[in-house]
Amino acid sequence: MSIKILHIDSNHPILWQQLEEAGFENHADFKSSKEEIESKIQDYNGIVIRSRFKIDKTFLDRATNLQFIARVGAGLESIDCEYAETKGIHLIAAPEGNRNAVAEHSLGVILSLFNNLNQADAEIRAGHWNRESNRGHELDGKTVGIIGYGNMGKAFAKKLRGFEVEVVFHDILENIGDENARQVSLEELQKKADVLSLHLPWTPETDKMVNADFINAFSKPFWIINTSRGKNIVTADLVKAMKSKKILGAGLDVLEYEKLSFETLFQDKNTPEAFQYLLEAKNALLTPHIAGWTFESHERLAQVIVDKIKAVYL
């Protein structure tokens, strides 16, 4: 039987090419609405997505012949995974594909914040030569705390091996420490960390996890990096902590205000006050969800997805 796959987002061409060479039947629809896709999804055995819309119960009930959902990305939060599994649908993601990109980005953000690189660059361009106000900090001797020690967290810890830092992490899974980082309780991480880096999925447990109570539990002022999901941080509480100097700087590749598709930034007519502060803050480094979005990861993500689909059938 021919396996028909519907691609609803564009990806690296090797994904389509290699699936075709392996005997799968590819179809593309990058523009139709969710409702229009639902009207024909019963004709397909597989679907390849990024994040254009949520795969919910309504969609899955229409997908009567669906055997797998492959997301070209790290997380599956745009899919009702529990319901999909009750229907025997195989779920595929590719966190291996962009873990190195996320790790390199996280390291770059820390070094930029520590050395005021974005601020200093902007001042030079404006004609200002301010050395003392741009005096930086060294990573050497600091403690980096990682929350979430999956593909991304482990890759980031590995990148830190060249620095004289202590790396600790907290994770809901037990006994997963390695030569790059030591597993600790959340309380110990909050006591020791000079830098906090989030590498978490967005789940009911992690939603709004970084709030005022969480921040105030840290023993000393710290820098925070978020390359995971924007809704894991309460932005208003983050900004209050930045104003009080409890948070020394924030590198945010993801924002609470992002749409689920990650393709646009949700803003109504009035920019939220907390977001306006971030836009103007010299110690905030903001990027548009690009930590895992390199030229190399674009191809690697596609290859991981191809390999995993083929492993299901071949």
Side-chain angles (χ1 to χ4, degrees), residues 26-241:
N26 290 312
H27 297 258
D29 189 338
F30 301 155
K31 296 182 178 180
S32 292
S33 67
K34 177 175 179 289
E35 291 72 22
E36 290 169 330
I37 298 292
E38 285 174 350
S39 70
K40 63 181 180 180
I41 192 60
Q42 73 277 358
D43 297 332
Y44 294 94
N45 310 112
I47 185 168
V48 176
I49 66 171
R50 289 209 318 266
S51 300
R52 186 144 66 93
F53 51 71
K54 186 171 177 60
I55 306 297
D56 55 16
K57 288 184 178 181
T58 300
F59 187 96
L60 293 168
D61 283 338
R62 299 285 183 86
T64 52
N65 292 302
L66 203 60
Q67 298 172 13
F68 74 85
I69 303 170
R71 178 167 184 263
V72 187
L76 295 169
E77 67 270 19
S78 62
I79 303 167
D80 188 332
C81 297
E82 186 175 336
Y83 193 60
E85 288 170 352
T86 66
K87 291 180 169 289
I89 296 172
H90 193 77
L91 302 176
I92 299 170
E96 311 94 322
N98 61 356
R99 61 189 175 192
N100 183 71
V102 170
E104 290 191 7
H105 181 99
S106 300
L107 182 57
V109 168
I110 287 179
L111 295 175
S112 181
L113 286 174
F114 269 40
N115 293 283
N116 302 309
L117 297 185
N118 54 324
Q119 173 183 313
D121 177 77
E123 290 176 357
I124 286 286
R125 294 174 188 274
H128 304 295
W129 186 266
N130 300 324
R131 296 186 69 223
E132 183 56 36
S133 62
N134 285 305
R135 187 188 292 268
H137 296 268
E138 295 180 20
L139 194 51
D140 191 292
K142 303 293 192 298
T143 298
V144 178
I146 297 170
I147 298 185
Y149 206 60
N151 278 280
M152 309 303 171
K154 289 178 179 177
F156 180 46
K158 185 177 179 181
K159 295 297 179 189
L160 290 166
R161 289 182 65 177
F163 297 85
E164 295 296 327
V165 297
E166 180 182 8
V167 183
V168 297
F169 74 90
H170 176 69
D171 195 282
I172 59 173
L173 300 178
E174 297 180 354
N175 301 315
I176 57 172
D178 55 27
E179 67 276 12
N180 299 321
R182 180 170 62 90
Q183 188 163 11
V184 298
S185 65
L186 178 59
E187 291 74 20
E188 183 175 348
L189 185 149
Q190 289 172 315
K191 180 180 179 180
K192 300 191 70 172
D194 300 289
V195 177
L196 171 64
S197 189
L198 300 179
H199 298 279
L200 296 158
W202 180 45
T203 68
E205 292 72 31
T206 65
D207 183 55
K208 299 179 176 61
M209 182 187 76
V210 180
N211 56 22
D213 290 339
F214 179 95
I215 293 167
N216 291 332
F218 278 74
S219 297
K220 51 187 173 180
F222 64 100
W223 287 265
I224 186 169
I225 311 296
N226 189 13
T227 56
S228 60
R229 292 294 183 260
K231 295 184 187 300
N232 292 337
I233 294 180
V234 178
T235 310
D237 290 352
L238 168 70
V239 165
K240 288 179 184 177

